[in-house]
């Protein structure tokens, strides 16, 4: 049986845009549009300013950077672009893989395509492959990366992006396989940021992007990596999971026939995806029953134990998040914000919202319970029970969160989200992104995505 990296390498080497179904290419353009929009929305935040200063110290260059006027070397341009796409936690997620698949795959594909003088069509195909491989590598874990304390976006994203980088560098099947073998020693990302909302998670897809281009560059020199980087005794899954309940061959199931990209969810809310079913449920109850925040006596949220560890633990700290990123991973805060404001937008994570006494009062009323019927990781289920002061009990279950492949945001929804995130003059950039692959060079495409 050939090694998994070899099979994926052969698949990527032979796959061009002509081999990818039109439905997949069109959805990929909309996923790219979503990523561009959230990257532009991130540029004025403190983490983006700090990232710009840090990355500029790593070296100059001539490549454009997504959403900014900056120019950097290819690796640094990809790193900064990935940080911007992921920084607001508003970017897409492959649900079974629990991985933000576009965050590194798109910036790496742009940077590598420019570096090697590729067309926009080649860029698009490489981006699709990066998303596809990241999703397949991540879904094998069945949510187990989180249980072990690893962030799948930094882990699985490094592999998919390495495939994109090697493909655009002109590597054949062996070179694309080698890039995966090498990047396996760089795939990383700890979930310890959950303790206080530290910014390290924002860096994870940036490091995956950096690692991908590095790995592809070393692979091009003939640098050897371990053949069984996925399935080996000390391979990815044996070292990064705390369970034996995995089969690395699952990464190959339906390869080239079923496209995981189509199962990638676009977020309707700028928070951890684990909280979205609860936001949906609370906002629906608030509207249907006409609930006022002042009427609420208690709120019970039922959630699977793995996502609960990320957004509910420790409960007392989660009720009073320390910064915006801390709040994005706080189910009690998000429940309180939805009840108090009747919405969940970027404004609910601004400084004034974090100090809003009504949101904090409601967050104190949130209790957490186990959800034995959860569909995690296939879907991020949630059930909410609201007890009102007049004795009424309101209950709503969202078995499948909105944005999931079973309840997808439409192309129209994604275009509307892009316009909200991008701001004024969105039409020109939207037109460029939605025409990706229909002619022109990768360089021309990237120049159209610069600020100003």
């Amino acid at each position: 049986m050939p090694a998994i990296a070899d099979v994926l390498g052969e698949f990527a080497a032979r796959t061009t845009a002509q081999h990818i179904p039109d439905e997949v290419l069109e959805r990929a353009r909309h996923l790219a549009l979503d990523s561009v929009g959230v990257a532009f929305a991130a540029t004025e935040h403190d983490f983006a300013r700090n990232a710009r200063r840090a990355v500029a110290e790593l070296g100059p260059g001539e490549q454009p950077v997504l959403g900014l006027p900056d120019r950097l070397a290819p690796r640094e341009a990809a790193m900064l672009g990935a940080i911007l796409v992921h920084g607001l936690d508003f970017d897409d997620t492959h649900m079974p893989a629990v991985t933000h698949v576009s965050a590194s795959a798109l910036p790496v594909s742009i940077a590598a395509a420019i570096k090697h003088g590729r067309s926009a069509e080649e860029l698009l195909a490489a981006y699709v492959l990066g998303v596809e491989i990241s999703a397949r590598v991540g879904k094998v874990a069945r949510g187990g990366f989180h249980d072990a304390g690893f962030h799948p976006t930094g882990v699985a994203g490094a592999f998919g992006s390495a495939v994109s980088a090697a493909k655009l560098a002109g590597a054949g099947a062996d070179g694309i396989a080698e890039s995966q073998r090498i990047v396996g020693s760089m795939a990383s990302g700890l979930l310890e940021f959950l303790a206080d909302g530290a910014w390290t998670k924002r860096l994870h897809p940036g490091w995956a992007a950096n690692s991908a281009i590095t790995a592809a560059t070393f692979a091009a020199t003939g640098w050897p990596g371990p053949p069984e980087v996925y399935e080996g005794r000390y391979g990815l899954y044996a070292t990064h999971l705390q369970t034996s309940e995995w089969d690395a061959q699952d990464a190959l199931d339906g390869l080239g026939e079923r496209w995981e990209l189509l199962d990638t969810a676009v977020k309707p809310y700028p928070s951890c995806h684990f909280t979205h079913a609860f936001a949906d449920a609370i906002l629906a109850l608030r509207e249907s029953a006409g609930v006022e925040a002042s009427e609420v006596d208690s709120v019970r949220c039922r959630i699977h134990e793995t996502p609960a560890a990320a957004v509910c633990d420790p409960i007392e700290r989660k009720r009073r998040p320390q910064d915006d990123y801390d709040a994005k991973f706080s189910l009690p805060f998000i429940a309180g914000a939805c009840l108090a404001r009747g919405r969940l937008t970027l404004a609910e994570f601004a400084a004034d919202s974090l100090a809003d006494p009504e949101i904090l009062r409601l967050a104190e009323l949130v209790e957490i319970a186990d959800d034995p019927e959860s569909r995690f990781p296939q879907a991020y289920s949630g059930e909410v029970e609201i007890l009102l002061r007049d004795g009424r009990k309101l209950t709503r279950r969202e078995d499948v969160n909105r944005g999931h492949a079973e309840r997808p945001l439409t192309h129209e929804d994604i275009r509307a989200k892009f316009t909200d995130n991008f701001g004024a003059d969105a039409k020109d950039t939207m037109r460029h992104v939605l025409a990706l692959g229909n002619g022109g060079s990768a360089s021309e495409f990237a120049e159209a995505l610069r600020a100003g």
Side-chain angles (χ1 to χ4, degrees), residues 387-406:
L387 184 63
L388 302 180
R389 290 181 175 173
D390 62 8
R392 285 183 295 156
K393 183 186 293 184
L394 306 175
T395 302
R396 185 177 178 96
R397 181 175 184 82
E398 299 287 351
D399 222 31
V400 177
N401 52 290
R402 190 160 54 93
H404 187 283
E406 295 177 23

Side-chain angles (χ1 to χ4, degrees), residues 154-306:
V155 177
F159 287 95
S161 298
V163 169
S164 299
K167 171 82 170 175
L168 290 164
D174 289 345
I176 297 174
E178 206 67 78
S179 70
Q180 297 168 76
R181 296 171 185 145
I182 295 169
V183 88
S185 289
M186 308 173 191
S188 62
L190 302 179
L191 293 179
E192 184 59 21
F193 77 91
L194 290 168
D196 63 356
W199 288 3
T200 46
K201 180 176 182 285
R202 289 176 161 127
L203 182 56
H204 293 167
W207 187 249
N210 180 308
S211 300
I213 293 175
T214 300
T217 304
F218 271 76
T221 73
W223 194 280
E228 294 189 331
V229 65
Y230 295 111
E231 67 269 43
R233 180 170 59 132
Y234 296 119
L236 172 67
Y237 299 114
T239 57
H240 284 58
L241 299 177
Q242 295 177 339
T243 174
S244 60
E245 295 179 5
W246 55 268
D247 183 350
Q249 292 295 321
D250 287 348
L252 307 179
D253 184 33
L255 185 65
E257 299 173 0
R258 188 187 67 253
W259 291 86
E260 297 293 334
L261 182 145
L262 296 176
D263 283 342
T264 300
V266 175
K267 285 187 171 184
Y269 307 118
S271 64
C272 175
H273 234 134
F274 295 159
T275 67
H276 285 204
F278 299 94
D280 282 340
I282 291 171
L283 293 174
L285 285 173
R286 195 179 186 279
E287 181 177 356
S288 63
V291 176
E292 296 292 335
S294 59
E295 299 177 279
V296 176
D297 190 61
S298 67
V299 181
R300 173 165 290 191
C301 296
R302 298 188 183 279
I303 184 172
H304 185 279
E305 61 180 359
T306 295

Side-chain angles (χ1 to χ4, degrees), residues 352-387:
D352 64 324
S353 298
L354 298 181
D356 186 327
E358 184 66 349
I359 293 177
L360 296 177
R361 181 188 72 81
L362 291 162
E364 291 287 343
L365 303 179
V366 175
E367 300 174 357
I368 306 300
D370 185 44
D371 181 8
E373 299 178 8
S374 174
R375 288 182 55 189
F376 180 85
Q378 283 71 35
Y380 306 158
S381 308
E383 184 175 303
V384 174
E385 180 184 286
I386 301 174
L387 184 63

